[in-house]
Amino acid sequence: MDDPIRTEIMKHRLVSVAEEMGARLQRAAFSPNIKERCDFSCAVFDASGNLVAQAAHIPVHLGAMPLSVRACLESMTFHPGDVAMVNDPYRGGTHLPDLTVVSPIFVPEDRESTLLGFVANRAHHADIGGMSAGSMPLSQEIYQEGLIIPPVKLMVAGQKNEDVWQLLLANVRTPEERSGDLQAQLAANRIGIERLVGLAQRFGVPNLVADMEALLRYSERLTRQLIGRLPDGCYRFEDALDNDGFSKEPAAIRVAITIDGEQATVDFSGTDPQRPGSINAVYPVTLSAVAYVFRCVLGLDIPANSGCLRPIHIIAPEGTLVNAQRPAAVGLCQCS
C-alpha cells in the first residue's frame, strides 16, 4: 500500500526540481523567445522514459516530451555525462523549432553508477534554418522548415560533441543566439541532475524509484476515478480549419469520445487526410492535446505525469491531420 503522505511530499519535491530547471533556463537564455515569452518546458522522467513530474509550462511540449525521451532511449546508450538532442516531429517532437535536450541521471554508488532516470527540457528556438526566418514558413514538406535533428549526442562524457554543434550552428541564421540558448538548456538539465542526485543520496535510489512508481499509480488511480464519474456514452464533435494556405478547402477534424466505466477512447477516425500546407499535426501533438483537454475536464489537482494517460486510448489514423506521416509539413501545427 502506497503511503499517501509520502507520495504527496515526493510529488512536490519532484515538481520543484522541474520548476527550478525552468527558472535557470529562463534566466540563462539568450533569446526573447525563451527568456521573455517563456516558450519552454522542463520535466523529470524515470529510467523507462515515463514522465514523472513537470513544471506548469507549455502543455503541448509536456505531453509530447516522453516520446522524445523514448526515441533517444531506443537510439543510443547513455553514459554519465552524455546529453542527447532531438527535434524531429516524427520521433517525439512537435515542430522543428522545439529543441529537446535529454540528460540521464546517474547516481554514484560505490565504484559504479546507477541510472535513476532522466531530466529533459524543450525550448522553442527563434530559428532552426529552413526557407524563411523563424523556421515556421508556409511550407509543403518538412524539409522546407529547417534542420531535422534525429536523436544525437550533443555531449559525450561531459564534453561537447563539436561535430554536432558545428553542424547545427552552420544551418541557422543566428548561431550565437542558438548556442547561448542551447547552453541554457544544458544548464537547466545540470541543476535538475544535481537536485535529483541529492534526493537519491538522501533517501536511497530504491526508495526514490519506488516513490516515482507510486506517483504514476496515484495519477492513474485518480484519473480512472474521475473518468468513472462521467456519464457512459459516445460523444461526437467536428470542426474545421478554414484552409491549409494552399487551397480554399476546409480541413476537418472529427472525434468520437467514448466513456466506458473508468476508461476513455478518443477516436479521430474520419478526420481529413493530411494536407499540403503546414497545418498537419504529428501524433505527439495530438497526444498532448488530448491529455490537456482531459486534465481540464477532470479538474482536480492530479499530478501531471504519464499515469494520467493510462486509462485513455487514442485512435489517430495514420496519414490524417492528427497523425501526419513524413514528409508532411507540420510547422504551424501548434498555431492551427
Side-chain angles (χ1 to χ4, degrees), residues 28-91:
F30 275 38
S31 68
N33 207 44
I34 298 174
K35 183 178 289 291
E36 296 177 16
R37 285 188 62 242
C38 299
D39 197 344
F40 63 83
S41 299
C42 301
V44 178
F45 300 81
D46 67 14
S48 298
N50 296 306
L51 174 66
V52 174
Q54 64 179 50
H57 291 150
I58 308 296
V60 73
H61 289 175
L62 294 161
M65 248 201 289
L67 300 180
S68 285
V69 174
R70 289 172 191 168
C72 292
L73 278 169
E74 293 167 0
S75 302
M76 63 187 69
T77 301
F78 284 94
H79 302 283
D82 291 350
V83 180
M85 172 179 64
V86 61
N87 79 339
D88 188 346
Y90 296 100
R91 303 187 72 173

Side-chain angles (χ1 to χ4, degrees), residues 175-220:
E176 182 179 353
E177 188 177 78
R178 300 286 64 70
S179 178
D181 284 347
L182 267 177
Q183 294 280 9
Q185 289 185 264
L186 291 173
N189 278 11
R190 282 196 296 271
I191 194 65
I193 293 171
E194 182 181 330
R195 294 293 182 260
L196 285 159
V197 168
L199 287 175
Q201 291 175 337
R202 178 177 177 182
F203 298 106
V205 171
N207 290 330
L208 188 52
V209 168
D211 289 331
M212 290 180 176
E213 293 172 350
L215 197 51
L216 293 173
R217 289 193 297 270
Y218 177 54
S219 291
E220 178 184 2

